[in-house]
Amino acid sequence: DMKVTQMPRYLIKRMGENVLLECGQDMSHETMYWYRQDPGLGLQLIYISYDVDSNSEGDIPKGYRVSRKKREHFSLILDSAKTNQTSVYFCASSLSTSNSDYTFGSGTRLLVI
Amino acid sequence: GDQVEQSPSALSLHEGTGSALRCNFTTTMRAVQWFRKNSRGSLINLFYLASGTKENGRLKSAFDSKERYSTLHIRDAQLEDSGTYFCAGNNNNAPRFGAGTKLSVKP
């Protein structure tokens, strides 16, 4: 069953701690994305990765960085988490940017206290 | 800037009735995708359209790239249709999402 897997599903961190959100896909998709979803704002693009070590900022990259060392894994890192980074984070993948059929993970709900 | 305007932000329907959700795009999109966020918080892919219309059960979607809009029609709404629906427009980079429509279906 082809899918995007996000870990963990739920996470509570204190302000200033480092946060690592992991995403994996088993479809050999080239392109992967990280979004955050906040009420009334929909999903906002944080980072996009076109392939291994080929990452690009999205619309709201500040406070985040990413790592893609293998095609099947795309990590989102928060160095020194802030309370305004409390959100639901979604990872997605697509075959390429020219193929618009996206597959989403189940989301990671992050609470920064 | 904002590229996807989704309306309405909230919608209440009685079982058996129907309505339409709409997304207007401020730029030309190559394709549109509609999702529903289920009770577990996962995003379920409903439709992907590069043009024209698609129908699946009680749902029907249309996309007009030239006129810059897409619609999602729901007919004979059921209680399990409740949830938040998102459209996403793609302009050859990454999908940009609307703010979502929270649909409540009541008996």
Side-chain angles (χ1 to χ4, degrees):
Chain A
D1 191 21
M2 300 181 292
K3 60 183 179 180
V4 174
T5 303
Q6 286 186 240
M7 293 292 288
R9 287 296 310 276
Y10 304 93
L11 188 60
I12 300 176
K13 286 286 190 177
R14 295 189 183 279
M15 199 167 57
E17 289 185 329
N18 297 333
V19 180
L20 173 64
L21 304 185
E22 310 246 41
C23 176
Q25 49 97 1
D26 58 3
M27 298 166 280
S28 297
H29 282 177
E30 284 184 357
T31 313
M32 298 184 74
Y33 315 81
W34 275 106
Y35 292 86
R36 62 177 284 177
Q37 194 220 340
D38 301 290
L41 295 176
L43 284 89
Q44 300 175 86
L45 180 66
I46 306 171
Y47 266 93
I48 180 173
S49 174
Y50 299 102
D51 211 329
V52 171
D53 283 331
S54 180
N55 307 317
S56 182
E57 294 181 347
D59 298 326
I60 53 163
K62 188 177 179 182
Y64 304 94
R65 62 183 175 91
V66 291
S67 175
R68 190 149 180 224
K69 296 302 181 184
K70 293 182 179 180
R71 180 174 276 194
E72 60 267 27
H73 290 131
F74 189 34
S75 301
L76 181 69
I77 301 127
L78 288 68
D79 295 315
S80 186
K82 301 174 180 55
T83 54
N84 62 9
Q85 291 178 307
T86 291
S87 187
V88 182
Y89 292 85
F90 284 95
C91 174
S93 73
S94 63
L95 192 59
S96 67
T97 51
S98 61
N99 179 294
S100 295
D101 203 353
Y102 299 91
T103 302
F104 276 83
S106 300
T108 294
R109 191 175 293 271
L110 172 66
L111 173 62
V112 182
I113 56 174
Chain B
D2 294 332
Q3 298 184 39
V4 184
E5 300 164 352
Q6 188 171 346
S7 62
S9 57
L11 179 62
S12 182
L13 294 176
H14 285 290
E15 267 187 304
T17 64
S19 188
L21 285 57
R22 184 178 177 105
C23 278
N24 292 323
F25 307 111
T26 57
T27 61
T28 299
M29 298 293 182
R30 196 171 56 80
V32 69
Q33 200 158 357
W34 284 91
F35 298 88
R36 185 173 72 87
K37 191 176 178 187
N38 67 12
S39 58
R40 290 172 50 222
S42 300
L43 285 175
I44 308 300
N45 183 12
L46 299 176
F47 292 105
Y48 163 67
L49 297 97
S51 65
T53 63
K54 282 188 179 178
E55 192 165 356
N56 184 3
R58 296 177 290 102
L59 298 178
K60 181 178 180 179
S61 183
F63 174 50
D64 189 324
S65 176
K66 184 179 178 183
E67 298 299 323
R68 299 183 179 178
Y69 77 90
S70 178
T71 56
L72 177 68
H73 292 260
I74 301 173
R75 62 176 175 83
D76 188 25
Q78 303 297 306
L79 297 177
E80 60 265 28
D81 294 331
S82 294
T84 303
Y85 291 75
F86 294 95
C87 67
N90 183 280
N91 58 357
N92 290 326
N93 186 9
R96 275 10 189 235
F97 284 78
T101 296
K102 188 171 183 179
L103 173 64
S104 299
V105 181
K106 300 178 180 178

